Amino acid sequence: MARRSDKATADGIEASGEDRDPLLVQSVEKAFRVLRAFDGTRPNLSLSQIADEAGLDMSAAQRFTHTLTKLGYLSKDTDTRRFELTVKSLDFGYHYTRASSLVERGMPYLLHLSKETEETVNLTVLDDTDIVFVSRFMSRHVLNNDVITGTRLPAYCTAPGIAILSSLPEKDAYGVLERSHLHPYTPHTTWELDALREKLKKSALRGYATAFEEYFHGDLSVAAPVLDANGKPYGAINIAVSRSRYAPEETEQRFSALVTAAARSISMAGGARR
């Protein structure tokens, strides 16, 4: 039996005995484990690598990769015998953005901010300890080419993440921080728990959050939370600019009111959730 992968155990799905969910279809869960084994750093994998990453034995890995290949979500190179995701995998993201009321409501405001500022504008949502980019308008002053729709970043060191967390009940927000793998990505990262709690309180009072070179060098970001009808955050808008063109203080002064107004407008547009 292959070793149980960190990825599988991190998903919290290897419960046993009385902790096992009786309604959970194990074969479906394992199929998604196989799909999640692929990421930007490993675009193609051998069968043994898939088995290792997904926490499956070789026989199970072979069955799941064969099935996913037949369904069109994986392809197999006949020479190298390595697997990779196919374009059909994008269907899930496409259907999400088409069905998301947050994306639908936010689009006119993101477009307006993009035209008015000529800077990069993003719409993100919180997924456990990460933020996920669900819409993105790039500036001609491109900051990070590797950030695209679907990109995940840690919530605790990004302006949208802090904006969303600062609008959650303290218990929920602190729970996200405690589950996060807190460490400094740059010399400017706020990553110690007490400092992060103070940052959440400050952001809650201001109604917006900032992150200056906390994840990417040279990246300055201001974000505000989008709230649902019950006042709970279900996304965030942020404007990101380059340190080579703006100072942190200037960024905050120039863009905080704009993102706050846009986020408030989306919040007032209706109570639909993502």
Side-chain angles (χ1 to χ4, degrees), residues 77-169:
D77 188 295
T78 55
D79 295 325
T80 66
R81 305 181 66 81
R82 296 176 72 85
F83 295 86
E84 62 181 28
L85 295 175
T86 69
V87 70
K88 191 173 182 179
S89 302
L90 287 175
D91 287 353
F92 296 111
Y94 171 76
H95 292 312
Y96 171 84
T97 56
R98 292 287 291 177
S100 170
S101 59
L102 174 61
V103 174
E104 179 185 6
R105 293 178 185 278
M107 197 61 65
Y109 300 98
L110 283 134
L111 184 59
H112 173 73
L113 279 181
S114 176
K115 289 181 177 179
E116 184 173 344
T117 66
E118 296 187 345
E119 302 295 345
T120 297
V121 181
N122 304 300
L123 182 64
T124 56
V125 297
L126 182 70
D127 185 27
D128 194 26
T129 61
D130 295 334
I131 57 162
V132 182
F133 290 75
V134 296
S135 189
R136 182 167 167 82
F137 284 80
M138 293 291 292
S139 164
R140 59 190 176 90
H141 312 289
V142 177
L143 286 170
N144 300 298
N145 288 317
D146 56 342
V147 177
I148 59 174
T149 300
T151 294
R152 289 174 172 271
L153 296 178
Y156 75 88
C157 57
T158 58
I162 293 297
I164 294 172
L165 293 180
S166 69
S167 300
L168 287 172

Side-chain angles (χ1 to χ4, degrees), residues 52 132 208:
D52 190 52
V132 182
Y208 66 89

Side-chain angles (χ1 to χ4, degrees), residues 7-244:
K7 182 176 301 225
T9 55
D11 288 334
I13 47 186
E14 285 290 349
S16 59
E18 61 185 27
D19 294 328
R20 186 179 295 279
D21 185 347
L23 296 179
L24 182 70
V25 181
Q26 295 290 323
S27 59
V28 175
E29 177 269 311
K30 289 175 182 177
F32 276 96
R33 255 198 264 170
V34 170
L35 292 174
R36 285 196 300 270
F38 298 85
D39 59 30
T41 62
R42 295 166 305 183
N44 57 74
L45 297 169
S46 67
L47 185 63
S48 61
Q49 288 174 321
I50 292 171
D52 190 52
E53 286 298 316
L56 303 171
D57 59 35
M58 287 292 286
S59 176
Q62 185 176 42
R63 294 195 303 273
F64 281 108
T65 53
H66 175 78
T67 301
L68 290 167
T69 300
K70 284 290 185 180
L71 292 174
Y73 292 103
L74 291 181
S75 65
K76 182 179 179 180
D77 188 295
T78 55
D79 295 325
T80 66
R81 305 181 66 81
R82 296 176 72 85
F83 295 86
E84 62 181 28
L85 295 175
T86 69
V87 70
K88 191 173 182 179
S89 302
L90 287 175
D91 287 353
F92 296 111
Y94 171 76
H95 292 312
Y96 171 84
T97 56
R98 292 287 291 177
S100 170
S101 59
L102 174 61
V103 174
E104 179 185 6
R105 293 178 185 278
M107 197 61 65
Y109 300 98
L110 283 134
L111 184 59
H112 173 73
L113 279 181
S114 176
K115 289 181 177 179
E116 184 173 344
T117 66
E118 296 187 345
E119 302 295 345
T120 297
V121 181
N122 304 300
L123 182 64
T124 56
V125 297
L126 182 70
D127 185 27
D128 194 26
T129 61
D130 295 334
I131 57 162
V132 182
F133 290 75
V134 296
S135 189
R136 182 167 167 82
F137 284 80
M138 293 291 292
S139 164
R140 59 190 176 90
H141 312 289
V142 177
L143 286 170
N144 300 298
N145 288 317
D146 56 342
V147 177
I148 59 174
T149 300
T151 294
R152 289 174 172 271
L153 296 178
Y156 75 88
C157 57
T158 58
I162 293 297
I164 294 172
L165 293 180
S166 69
S167 300
L168 287 172
E170 281 191 357
K171 181 181 178 181
D172 296 340
Y174 293 170
V176 172
L177 294 180
E178 289 163 1
R179 292 196 306 274
S180 300
H181 176 47
L182 303 177
H183 67 282
Y185 285 92
T186 77
H188 305 284
T189 304
T190 303
W191 64 278
E192 294 180 318
L193 202 53
D194 288 342
L196 284 168
R197 287 173 174 170
E198 286 302 313
K199 189 169 187 177
L200 292 185
K201 292 176 182 178
K202 182 179 180 180
S203 299
L205 288 173
R206 296 188 303 186
Y208 66 89
T210 61
F212 301 140
E213 299 188 279
E214 295 207 25
Y215 188 85
F216 292 113
H217 290 284
D219 179 72
L220 310 179
S221 178
V222 182
V226 177
L227 308 178
D228 67 15
N230 300 312
K232 294 182 179 180
Y234 67 114
I237 286 182
N238 80 293
I239 295 176
V241 300
S242 171
R243 180 65 187 263
S244 65

